C-alpha cells in the first residue's frame, strides 16, 4: 500500500512528466471510482486543459487544472503509468488521459479501491475529502499539544490511533511501526496512557521518518512498487517493519510480530516495553 512518502515520490515524478501537456481526451472504464462526478462531467472538466501543478496532502494526489482540482487517492493498489497512446490497455487500467503529444497517463488499480473527486481549487482545504483529515506531521499546527488533545481520551491502541487519518494524516502501517520504535512505545499501549514526552517524541519521530523516507524515494516492499521507474530505498533503513526474527539494531533482542486491530505489527519487546 502506498503511504505518504510513496505518494510524494509519485507526485515529484509525475510533475516532471505530465505538467503543461494539453489533454486531448479521457477514457473512464470504471465509473464507480468517481465519487462526486460522472464520466461525462469529468471529460468536460479535463479535455483541453493542462495540469499546471500536482500537490499532495496525506495520501491524496491533487492535480491542478487552472481553477479546478482532481483529487486522487491511490488506496491499496493504485498507481500511475506513462505510456504511448498506441499501447493496448491493460485490464486493470481504469482511466486513461490522452495528451496531444501522443503520450498517456494511465491509472492502474487491480483492486478498484482508488477514488477521484473534482473540486474547485478554492475549496481543496475547505470543502473536499481532505477537510476530514488531521494535520500532517509537517504541519506547523501538528504539535505535541495537538496530538495530546486528539489522543488523551482514547483507549484504543496507539498503533490504531496513529493509523487514523482523521487524527494525523499520512502515516501508514510501515511508518507507524518505525515511529513507535523510535519513540520507544509499545504498539498496543492505550493512547490515553501516553505521557507528555511521548506526544512530543511521536511528532518529532514522525517528521524524521517521513522526511527520510521521502528523501530515499519511499519504501518498496511487498506488492507496492513504483510504476514510474523509481525504486524506494527506505526499506534499507527499517528498524522493525518486516524484521520479525531478526535482532534489534539497538538491543539485539529478536523483533516480534503481532496483530493490532488486524494489522501486522512489528516491534522490539525490550526497546518498546508495554505499559
Amino acid at each position: 500500500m502506498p503511504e505518504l512518502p510513496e505518494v510524494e515520490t509519485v507526485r515529484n515524478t509525475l510533475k516532471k512528466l505530465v505538467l503543461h501537456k494539453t489533454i486531448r481526451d479521457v477514457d473512464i472504464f470504471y465509473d464507480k471510482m468517481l465519487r462526486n462526478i460522472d464520466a461525462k462531467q469529468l471529460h468536460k472538466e479535463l479535455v483541453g486543459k493542462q495540469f499546471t501543478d500536482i500537490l499532495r496532502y496525506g495520501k491524496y494526489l491533487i492535480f491542478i487544472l487552472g481553477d479546478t482540482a482532481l483529487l486522487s487517492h491511490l488506496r491499496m493498489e493504485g498507481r500511475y503509468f506513462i505510456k504511448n497512446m498506441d499501447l493496448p490497455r491493460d485490464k486493470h487500467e481504469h482511466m486513461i488521459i490522452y495528451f496531444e503529444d501522443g503520450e498517456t497517463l494511465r491509472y492502474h488499480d487491480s483492486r478498484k479501491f482508488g477514488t477521484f473527486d473534482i473540486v474547485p481549487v478554492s475549496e481543496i482545504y475547505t470543502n473536499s475529502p481532505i477537510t476530514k483529515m488531521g494535520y500532517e506531521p509537517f504541519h506547523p499546527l501538528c504539535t505535541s499539544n495537538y496530538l495530546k488533545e486528539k489522543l488523551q481520551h482514547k483507549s484504543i491502541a496507539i498503533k490504531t490511533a496513529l493509523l487514523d487519518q482523521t487524527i494525523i494524516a499520512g502515516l501508514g502501517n510501515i511508518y507507524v511501526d518505525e515511529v513507535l520504535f523510535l519513540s520507544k512505545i509499545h504498539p498496543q499501549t492505550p493512547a490515553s496512557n501516553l505521557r507528555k514526552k511521548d506526544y512530543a517524541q511521536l511528532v518529532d519521530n514522525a517528521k524524521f521518518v517521513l522526511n527520510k523516507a521521502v528523501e530515499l524515494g519511499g519504501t518498496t516492499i511487498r506488492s507496492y512498487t513504483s510504476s514510474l521507474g523509481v525504486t524506494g530505498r527506505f526499506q534499507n533503513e527499517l528498524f522493525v517493519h518486516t524484521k520479525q526474527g531478526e535482532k534489534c539494531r539497538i538491543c539485539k533482542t529478536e523483533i516480534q510480530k503481532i496483530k493490532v486491530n488486524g494489522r501486522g505489527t512489528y516491534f522490539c519487546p525490550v526497546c518498546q516495553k508495554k505499559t
Side-chain angles (χ1 to χ4, degrees):
M1 176 187 293
E3 300 184 20
L4 184 155
E6 288 75 55
V7 178
E8 179 68 5
T9 300
V10 171
R11 180 185 82 90
N12 288 328
T13 306
L14 285 177
K15 285 186 68 173
K16 300 173 185 176
L17 299 172
V18 302
L19 289 192
H20 310 300
K21 292 186 176 185
T22 301
I23 298 170
R24 181 179 60 80
D25 202 358
V26 181
D27 280 336
I28 305 296
F29 301 97
Y30 185 67
D31 288 7
K32 291 182 179 179
M33 66 186 180
L34 307 178
R35 294 206 298 191
N36 70 339
I37 196 169
D38 61 30
K40 184 177 180 180
Q41 291 172 311
L42 184 71
H43 188 275
K44 182 179 178 180
E45 291 287 350
L46 267 60
V47 172
K49 296 183 180 179
Q50 299 178 354
F51 295 127
T52 56
D53 201 359
I54 305 174
L55 311 176
R56 181 198 52 73
Y57 192 88
K59 302 177 188 180
Y60 276 94
L61 284 170
I62 307 169
F63 295 86
I64 304 297
L65 304 105
D67 296 332
T68 302
L70 175 67
L71 274 57
S72 167
H73 198 300
L74 303 179
R75 302 292 179 180
M76 294 287 289
E77 294 287 348
R79 63 193 75 191
Y80 284 97
F81 290 85
I82 303 292
K83 295 183 178 181
N84 186 278
M85 64 177 297
D86 295 329
L87 291 176
R89 169 186 170 246
D90 182 280
K91 68 177 181 179
H92 296 304
E93 291 174 355
H94 305 305
M95 178 190 290
I96 300 180
I97 297 174
Y98 301 86
F99 298 109
E100 287 189 346
D101 67 355
E103 288 193 328
T104 62
L105 174 64
R106 307 189 186 197
Y107 177 71
H108 181 286
D109 191 340
S110 58
R111 297 199 182 188
K112 299 182 178 179
F113 289 163
T115 61
F116 291 89
D117 294 86
I118 285 282
V119 300
V121 166
S122 60
E123 298 180 12
I124 291 173
Y125 302 107
T126 60
N127 187 28
S128 81
I130 287 173
T131 61
K132 300 175 183 178
M133 301 173 67
Y135 294 127
E136 290 187 345
F138 312 119
H139 197 289
L141 294 179
C142 186
T143 63
S144 58
N145 286 335
Y146 165 79
L147 204 56
K148 180 180 179 181
E149 182 182 328
K150 289 287 188 179
L151 298 179
Q152 63 184 338
H153 301 302
K154 293 186 178 292
S155 59
I156 59 174
I158 185 60
K159 167 75 182 272
T160 302
L162 293 178
L163 289 173
D164 184 344
Q165 300 298 295
T166 67
I167 294 175
I168 189 165
L171 286 176
N173 203 42
I174 297 171
Y175 300 109
V176 168
D177 281 355
E178 296 299 299
V179 168
L180 288 173
F181 173 79
L182 292 174
S183 303
K184 299 182 179 180
I185 298 172
H186 192 285
Q188 291 178 317
T189 301
S192 56
N193 284 10
L194 297 185
R195 299 159 295 180
K196 183 178 180 179
K197 71 174 186 178
D198 294 329
Y199 297 113
Q201 287 179 330
L202 286 172
V203 171
D204 289 345
N205 287 321
K207 292 177 183 177
F208 171 78
V209 167
L210 292 178
N211 276 323
K212 187 70 171 178
V214 168
E215 177 187 337
L216 295 175
T219 305
T220 306
I221 59 175
R222 295 201 185 94
S223 62
Y224 189 82
T225 56
S226 173
S227 61
L228 299 168
V230 178
T231 301
R233 291 171 286 129
F234 190 72
Q235 67 263 30
N236 300 321
E237 306 292 324
L238 295 172
F239 282 95
V240 290
H241 195 81
T242 70
K243 303 296 183 181
Q244 180 183 16
E246 297 183 28
K247 291 184 178 180
C248 170
R249 286 157 57 180
I250 304 301
C251 73
K252 308 307 178 186
T253 303
E254 279 194 4
I255 302 300
Q256 295 183 7
K257 181 183 180 182
I258 57 174
K259 290 278 188 178
V260 177
N261 197 27
R263 304 300 297 274
T265 300
Y266 301 83
F267 71 102
C268 172
V270 172
C271 293
Q272 298 168 263
K273 291 182 179 179
K274 193 172 183 179
T275 60

